[in-house]
């Protein structure tokens, strides 16, 4: 007896279940990551202002170094998901191991570069004379944990490729708890000060990496996949990740330019900018969770040679992105009387932030679609287009943002430029999604 084809409503429900099952745990894991820095700050902050300032500088350096190599998660997710969709689990694990070996090599290179240059890097980031020694101490110890952090990124990509976002959530929560306990014990119990906080974080990161490696190695042995480094495979992983590295660097350049412009507008403006940027980053976590689901699901559909299914789930995720963006925008508008006083009691800063905050709220639906399409193209392995699209966006945003102070615009105008940046990203990503050129089926792109 022939089975009746699924109705459009049934297909949408199936896609919804897939998206929710991946996005919700992914959001939890994403939110847990910045809690590491928050825990360190809360514990070190009681040691003194200079210690906290030193931690701030060192953390900024470390987060920049790790954030630049987030492609280890993105590229690995797409590659592994394709192999999973094609039904070749052994090759999927082998692909993941190549990403993990690449992470270890990059981590070793960062250690070799950062240890001797730590004082110079701290000075470059503008640490004061009193804060610099603490920043250098924290940086030199914490950099030892970077290989573990990068392994966590790559291994997270492996699990996402296998459509598993729950394990990363559990590991992230356990890592946060361990980090907080270790820091408190080493900073105060062992009286190690800033160094204790750094060692606590390194130990927690290594523990997380060990758990991920245990899971991946167990699956590799189960399916007979090799664990040895493969030069050709590592090179292929680096080649796939290079365009995403360019994309990430371009996006970070946009955020740095926006902060630099805000600093030229005055103290109240830059203070308000930092508050809004922190909210913008929090909203990005929610939208990025859907993008992560997109990476995993799209890669699997394309690997299974289901181009029609990939297009259908892409359309559904765009609807999700828009809807979540509308909800987030409404929440920003409703919460603004409570949100701003949490960060500052300065009425001048609040007055500057309020209209810019409304710009952020209005642009959230656009951001929702942008994040989703970004994830879809990543899942399709369309990194080269994403790199060029972000370079074009950077080229459009930079002159507009730099003109804000000279034309007498304030923070609202600057965040208008940020909204323009998101609109430009929407245009480039929408054109690509409409063209269908991102749809390349098979176990490899």
């Amino acid at each position: 007896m022939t089975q009746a084809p699924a109705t459009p409503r049934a297909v949408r429900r199936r896609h919804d279940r897939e998206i929710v099952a991946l996005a919700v745990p992914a959001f939890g894991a994403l939110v847990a990551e910045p809690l590491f820095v928050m825990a360190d700050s809360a514990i070190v902050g009681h040691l003194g202002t200079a210690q906290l300032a030193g931690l701030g500088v060192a953390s900024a350096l470390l987060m920049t170094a790790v954030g630049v190599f987030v492609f280890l998660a993105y590229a690995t997710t797409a590659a592994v998901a394709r192999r999973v969709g094609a039904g070749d689990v052994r090759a999927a694990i082998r692909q993941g191991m190549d990403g993990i070996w690449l992470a270890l090599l990059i981590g070793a290179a960062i250690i070799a570069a950062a240890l001797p240059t730590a004082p110079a890097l701290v000075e470059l980031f503008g640490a004061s004379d009193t804060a610099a020694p603490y920043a250098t101490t924290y940086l030199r110890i914490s950099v030892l944990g970077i290989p573990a952090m990068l392994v966590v990124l790559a291994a997270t990509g492996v699990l996402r490729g296998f459509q598993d976002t729950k394990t990363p959530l559990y590991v992230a929560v356990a890592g946060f708890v361990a980090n907080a306990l270790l820091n408190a014990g080493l900073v105060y119990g062992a009286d190690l000060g800033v160094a204790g906080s750094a060692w606590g974080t390194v130990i927690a990161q290594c523990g997380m990496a060990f758990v991920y490696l245990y899971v991946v190695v167990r699956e590799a042995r189960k399916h007979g996949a090799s664990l040895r480094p493969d030069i050709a495979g590592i090179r292929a992983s680096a080649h796939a990740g290079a365009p995403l590295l360019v994309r990430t660097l371009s996006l970070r350049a946009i955020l740095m330019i926006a902060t630099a412009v805000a600093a030229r507008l005055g103290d109240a403006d830059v203070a308000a900018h930092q508050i809004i940027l922190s909210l913008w980053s929090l909203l990005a976590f929610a939208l990025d969770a859907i993008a992560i689901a997109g990476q995993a699901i799209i890669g699997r559909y394309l690997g299974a040679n289901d181009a029609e299914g990939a297009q259908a789930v892409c359309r559904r995720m765009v609807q999700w992105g828009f809807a979540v963006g509308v909800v987030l925008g409404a929440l920003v508008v409703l919460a603004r009387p409570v949100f701003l006083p949490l960060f500052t009691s300065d009425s001048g800063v609040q007055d500057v932030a309020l209209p810019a905050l409304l710009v952020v709220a209005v642009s959230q639906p656009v951001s929702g679609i942008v994040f989703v399409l970004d994830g879809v193209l990543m899942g399709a392995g369309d990194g080269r287009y994403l790199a060029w699209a972000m370079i074009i966006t950077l080229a459009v945003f930079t002159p507009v943002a730099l003109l804000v102070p000279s034309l007498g615009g304030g923070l609202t105008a600057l965040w208008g430029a940020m909204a323009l940046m998101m609109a430009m990203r929407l245009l480039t990503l929408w054109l690509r999604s409409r063209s269908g050129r991102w749809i390349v089926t098979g176990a490899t792109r």
Side-chain angles (χ1 to χ4, degrees):
M1 185 175 180
T2 304
Q3 186 176 2
T7 64
R9 177 177 293 182
V11 172
R12 286 196 301 270
R13 286 178 178 174
R14 185 178 75 246
H15 290 158
D16 290 344
R17 287 194 296 269
E18 289 181 317
I19 294 167
V20 171
L22 291 172
V24 172
F27 174 69
L30 289 170
V31 171
E33 291 173 8
L35 293 179
F36 271 77
V37 178
M38 290 179 62
D40 288 1
S41 299
I43 293 170
V44 171
H46 292 286
L47 295 175
T49 302
Q51 288 89 334
L52 183 58
L55 171 67
V57 171
S59 294
L61 283 162
L62 290 164
M63 296 307 294
T64 298
V66 174
V68 162
F69 296 108
V70 72
F71 73 83
L72 289 166
Y74 294 159
T76 305
T77 297
V80 171
R82 273 185 178 271
R83 297 284 192 180
V84 170
D88 194 346
V89 176
R90 180 185 296 182
I93 296 173
R94 179 63 259 181
Q95 193 96 46
M97 286 305 305
D98 292 335
I100 290 173
W101 280 111
L102 177 62
L104 287 170
L105 290 174
I106 293 173
I110 292 175
I111 289 177
L115 284 179
T117 60
L121 290 172
V122 167
E123 183 179 356
L124 181 65
F125 264 58
S128 66
D129 292 340
T130 55
Y134 298 109
T136 301
T137 297
Y138 190 92
L139 181 60
R140 278 182 165 158
I141 297 172
S142 292
V143 77
L144 300 176
I146 281 188
M149 295 174 73
L150 297 184
V151 165
V152 166
L153 285 178
T156 298
V158 176
L159 296 183
R160 288 174 181 170
F162 276 94
Q163 318 296 292
D164 177 10
T165 55
K166 290 183 179 179
T167 300
L169 171 61
Y170 299 149
V171 175
V173 172
F176 165 71
V177 173
N179 178 66
L181 294 176
L182 285 166
N183 280 6
L186 293 174
V187 170
Y188 298 115
D191 199 25
L192 294 179
V194 169
S197 176
W199 281 118
T201 300
V202 169
I203 294 170
Q205 290 162 349
C206 290
M208 293 171 65
F210 175 81
V211 173
Y212 274 115
L213 289 174
Y214 172 80
V215 173
V216 174
V217 169
R218 182 187 61 191
E219 291 302 308
R221 289 176 174 169
K222 178 180 177 181
H223 296 281
S226 173
L227 298 173
R228 295 179 179 178
D230 177 66
I231 300 302
I234 295 172
R235 188 183 299 115
S237 293
H239 184 265
L244 296 180
L245 175 61
V246 174
R247 167 202 167 275
T248 301
L249 289 173
S250 299
L251 179 57
R252 288 193 169 270
I254 287 172
L255 298 178
M256 289 176 64
I257 290 169
T259 300
V261 171
R264 294 171 58 188
L265 297 175
D267 290 345
D269 293 85
V270 73
H273 175 74
Q274 289 303 117
I275 293 172
I276 296 173
L277 189 61
S278 66
L279 174 64
W280 190 80
S281 299
L282 178 62
L283 298 173
F285 284 135
L287 299 175
D288 203 27
I290 306 175
I292 288 170
Q295 294 170 31
I297 296 171
I298 291 294
R300 192 187 80 236
Y301 272 91
L302 294 178
N305 294 310
D306 188 354
E308 184 178 342
Q311 288 178 310
V313 77
C314 173
R315 289 192 295 269
R316 189 57 178 165
M317 281 188 289
V318 166
Q319 294 170 356
W320 268 83
F322 178 79
V324 173
V326 169
V327 172
L328 292 177
L331 289 175
V332 170
V333 172
L334 294 174
R336 70 188 190 281
V338 179
F339 173 75
L340 288 175
L342 289 176
F343 286 85
T344 179
S345 57
D346 189 326
S347 59
V349 174
Q350 292 183 17
D351 290 342
V352 170
L354 182 58
L357 202 60
L358 294 177
V359 174
V360 172
V362 171
S363 65
Q364 283 308 295
V366 171
S367 297
I369 299 174
V370 166
F371 273 79
V372 165
L373 291 179
D374 206 39
V376 166
L377 296 186
M378 283 185 190
D382 203 11
R384 183 174 298 181
Y385 182 85
L386 288 172
W388 281 111
M390 191 58 77
I391 290 173
I392 292 170
T393 301
L394 173 62
V396 171
F397 170 79
T398 301
V400 174
L402 294 178
L403 282 173
V404 168
S406 59
L407 294 179
L411 189 66
T412 303
L414 175 59
W415 276 93
M418 290 287 285
L420 173 65
M421 178 270 293
M422 294 303 294
M424 188 66 195
R425 291 185 68 190
L426 175 61
L427 175 62
T428 56
L429 296 174
W430 179 79
L431 289 174
R432 187 63 168 183
S433 67
R434 292 284 294 178
S435 73
R437 294 177 182 175
W438 57 277
I439 301 175
V440 179
T441 58
T444 58
R445 182 176 174 85

